[in-house]
């Protein structure tokens, strides 16, 4: 197939066939297959294209009789074998990584079998090429932060996003979820380590003035809560009966939702970090599984490793903005308009939504203005929040230092 080189893999066609006989395999082994014929339902590939040096993941769905799978090329070379699978709806799902190092068209045959040998197969045609142009999809701006997908990669971290302003100047050469100011932009994607270095077509988007102002206010609120809660990799194993994790100390159910969001975006990263623990299985269950979850030392270490990754930082930033936006809306619905008082309410709400509302209602019931000083004095007098004098004073002084007096 020519000289070896770094290439990309493009899935160009699927050609399927099935049989209970196998060409090129041990006839003596095959002769014993009659009572144990397995069923190969389907085969697929993880992506239309992947970089060489990274795996194209082939998937096979079989009956529960199947005990082994192998992938063979058109020259009879065995490229991969697997005896590991997951059970799903009474069937077995096999994931087989295959690397194609050279340019050309490959006919890959996935064989499946039982203990006596291989008895079913399907073919898939795969082309290895020198480069591919990425495609940007699902562009969205939320709280001043751009999110999007790149069709050719399974994980957005495998792509580099370049943000340009309306004059074409590069604002971010490797965008990682920073808050954008008001203006018109375009995003261009590159697949990391692609030797061809091909760029996607640019996709335009805008951030309005109101979006930018709200994003900056949310950013301040996030900073205040972060200073009181924790860092990206914070894990408290037993926080009032269950774990809490991350910037906002997401607790129990919310911690489960947070980690599952990471798993949706980058399953390989999450599986690698949490391998060898029971956490992966628990993530496949409802968030009720973590209602009373107290991780052991091994699980805490695995969670910390995951919480330090890029996908964790991106998801935590996204969750933080979403949570704070909800808190702000709650405060405004109660009649709080003064920015300092609203920031103070946001931190109260993160501690206790009920007490945040009770304090606000108490200020209003006494006919006083919903301003920072009144919110603070009533919080200190509250039977619950008054127990957190250090945090209340710290939050009050931080907001004052930001220049907010009401």
């Amino acid at each position: 197939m020519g000289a070896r080189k770094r290439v990309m893999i493009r899935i160009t066609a699927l050609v399927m066939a099935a049989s209970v006989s196998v060409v090129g395999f041990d006839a003596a082994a095959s002769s014993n297959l009659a009572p144990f014929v397995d069923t190969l339902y389907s085969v697929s590939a993880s992506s239309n294209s992947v970089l060489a040096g990274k795996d194209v993941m082939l998937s096979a769905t079989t009956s529960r009789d199947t005990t082994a799978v192998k992938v063979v090329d058109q020259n009879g070379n065995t490229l991969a074998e697997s005896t590991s699978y997951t059970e799903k709806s009474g069937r077995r799902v096999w994931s087989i990584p295959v690397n194609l190092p050279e340019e050309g068209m490959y006919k890959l045959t996935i064989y499946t079998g039982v203990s006596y040998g291989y008895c079913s197969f399907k073919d898939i045609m795969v082309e290895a090429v020198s480069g591919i142009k990425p495609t940007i999809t699902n562009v969205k701006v939320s709280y001043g932060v751009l999110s999007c997908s790149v069709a050719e990669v399974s994980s957005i971290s495998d792509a580099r996003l370049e943000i340009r302003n309306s004059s074409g100047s590069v604002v971010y050469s490797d965008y990682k979820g920073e808050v954008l100011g008001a203006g018109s932009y375009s995003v261009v994607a590159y697949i990391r380590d692609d030797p061809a270095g091909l760029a996607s077509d640019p996709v335009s988007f805008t951030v309005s003035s109101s979006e930018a102002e709200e994003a900056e206010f949310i950013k301040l609120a996030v900073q205040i809560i972060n200073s009181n809660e924790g860092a990206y990799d914070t894990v408290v194993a037993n926080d009032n009966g269950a774990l809490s994790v991350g910037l906002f100390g997401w607790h129990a159910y919310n911690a489960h939702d947070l980690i599952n969001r990471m798993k949706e975006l980058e399953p390989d990263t999450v599986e690698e970090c949490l391998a060898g623990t029971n956490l992966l299985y628990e993530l496949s269950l409802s968030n009720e599984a973590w209602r009373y979850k107290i991780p052991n030392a091994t699980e805490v270490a695995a969670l910390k490793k995951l919480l330090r990754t890029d996908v964790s930082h991106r998801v935590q930033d996204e969750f933080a903005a979403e949570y704070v936006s909800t808190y702000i809306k709650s405060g405004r619905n109660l009649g709080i308009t003064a920015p300092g008082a609203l920031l103070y309410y946001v931190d109260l709400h993160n501690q206790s939504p009920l007490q945040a509302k009770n304090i606000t209602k108490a200020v209003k019931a006494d006919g006083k203005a919903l301003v920072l000083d009144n919110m603070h004095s009533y919080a200190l007098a509250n039977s619950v929040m008054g127990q957190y004098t250090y945090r209340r004073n710290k939050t009050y002084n931080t907001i004052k230092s930001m220049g907010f007096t009401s």
Side-chain angles (χ1 to χ4, degrees):
M1 289 189 181
R4 296 175 65 88
K5 62 175 71 176
R6 288 177 60 82
V7 295
M8 297 186 68
I9 302 166
R10 177 182 294 149
I11 312 301
T12 57
L14 293 178
V15 180
M16 296 185 179
S19 173
V20 296
S21 63
V22 178
V23 178
F25 286 95
D26 186 355
S30 298
S31 66
N32 294 320
L33 290 173
F36 300 98
V37 176
D38 72 336
T39 302
L40 175 56
Y41 295 105
S42 64
V43 297
S44 62
S46 59
S47 174
N48 287 336
S49 59
V50 294
L51 285 170
K54 295 192 174 183
D55 297 328
V56 56
M57 190 67 70
L58 302 184
S59 177
T61 301
T62 71
S63 68
R64 298 179 69 178
D65 296 321
T66 304
T67 57
V69 173
K70 70 162 52 177
V71 180
V72 177
D73 68 14
Q74 65 267 39
N75 298 317
N77 300 312
T78 298
L79 303 183
E81 296 182 83
S82 178
T83 57
S84 299
Y85 56 84
T86 58
E87 296 278 1
K88 186 175 182 180
S89 301
R91 298 181 177 182
R92 290 181 175 177
V93 179
W94 307 72
S95 296
I96 315 102
V98 178
N99 183 270
L100 305 181
E102 301 174 1
E103 288 186 74
M105 184 67 73
Y106 288 75
K107 177 184 176 183
L108 301 178
T109 302
I110 300 179
Y111 288 96
T112 65
V114 293
S115 57
Y116 294 94
Y118 293 93
C119 51
S120 299
F121 68 88
K122 290 183 184 289
D123 296 331
I124 185 169
M125 301 301 295
V126 180
E127 184 183 11
V129 296
S130 59
I132 192 167
K133 183 177 181 179
T135 306
I136 296 175
T137 61
N138 303 321
V139 174
K140 182 178 71 172
V141 178
S142 181
Y143 312 115
V145 176
L146 170 75
S147 64
C148 66
S149 302
V150 176
E152 290 70 23
V153 296
S154 58
S155 167
I156 191 64
S157 63
D158 290 332
R160 177 174 65 85
L161 301 180
E162 185 177 272
I163 306 294
R164 302 171 183 172
N165 61 21
S166 56
S167 64
S169 299
V170 175
V171 180
Y172 292 102
S173 60
D174 193 357
Y175 181 72
K176 295 184 181 297
E178 293 85 354
V179 175
L180 299 167
S184 298
Y185 301 91
S186 62
V187 56
V188 177
Y190 301 85
I191 297 176
R192 294 188 189 277
D193 301 324
D194 178 6
L198 299 181
S200 70
D201 291 329
V203 176
S204 300
F205 64 96
T206 59
V207 179
S208 69
S209 296
S210 60
E211 286 176 321
E213 289 173 5
E214 187 73 353
E216 284 302 317
F217 191 76
I218 289 172
K219 184 178 179 181
L220 291 176
V222 169
Q223 289 173 358
I224 291 168
I225 295 174
N226 284 358
S227 69
N228 289 319
E229 292 289 353
Y232 283 113
D233 66 346
T234 296
V235 178
V236 180
N238 188 348
D239 184 1
N240 292 319
L243 82 167
S244 62
V245 302
L247 291 173
F248 275 26
W250 284 284
H251 185 254
Y253 308 105
N254 293 329
H256 190 277
D257 293 343
L258 180 81
I259 305 300
N260 252 331
R261 175 60 178 156
M262 298 175 198
K263 190 170 182 287
E264 289 173 8
L265 293 178
E266 294 195 19
D268 292 347
T269 299
V270 174
E271 289 171 11
E272 177 188 346
C273 291
L274 303 185
T277 73
N278 201 43
L279 297 171
L280 283 173
Y281 169 71
E282 292 168 356
L283 289 172
S284 70
L285 307 175
S286 74
N287 60 13
E288 181 72 20
W290 281 12
R291 182 178 182 181
Y292 302 111
K293 174 66 178 180
I294 299 176
N296 60 36
T298 300
E299 291 173 329
V300 168
L303 284 168
K304 280 183 170 289
K305 180 180 179 182
L306 173 60
L307 293 171
R308 295 185 186 112
T309 63
D310 286 343
V311 67
S312 163
H313 293 181
R314 179 166 293 192
V315 170
Q316 289 193 57
D317 289 344
E318 174 187 307
F319 266 50
E322 290 176 359
Y323 275 58
V324 165
S325 179
T326 301
Y327 303 166
I328 291 171
K329 183 178 180 180
S330 172
R332 286 173 176 159
N333 287 341
L334 289 170
I336 303 174
T337 57
L342 192 55
L343 287 171
Y344 192 88
Y345 175 87
V346 165
D347 189 59
L348 281 173
H349 194 288
N350 188 69
Q351 272 192 287
S352 171
L354 176 61
Q355 297 308 322
K357 292 175 183 177
N358 287 342
I359 291 165
T360 305
K361 290 176 181 178
V363 175
K364 291 171 69 176
D366 287 346
K368 296 187 177 181
L370 294 172
V371 293
L372 177 59
D373 285 350
N374 290 338
M375 292 292 291
H376 181 49
S377 63
Y378 274 68
L380 292 176
N382 180 268
S383 61
V384 177
M385 304 312 287
Q387 299 176 43
Y388 301 93
T389 303
Y390 175 80
R391 176 165 178 166
R392 293 296 96 234
N393 287 329
K394 178 184 177 184
T395 299
Y396 174 78
N397 290 326
T398 298
I399 294 171
K400 283 279 192 180
S401 71
M402 290 177 171
F404 297 103
T405 57
S406 63

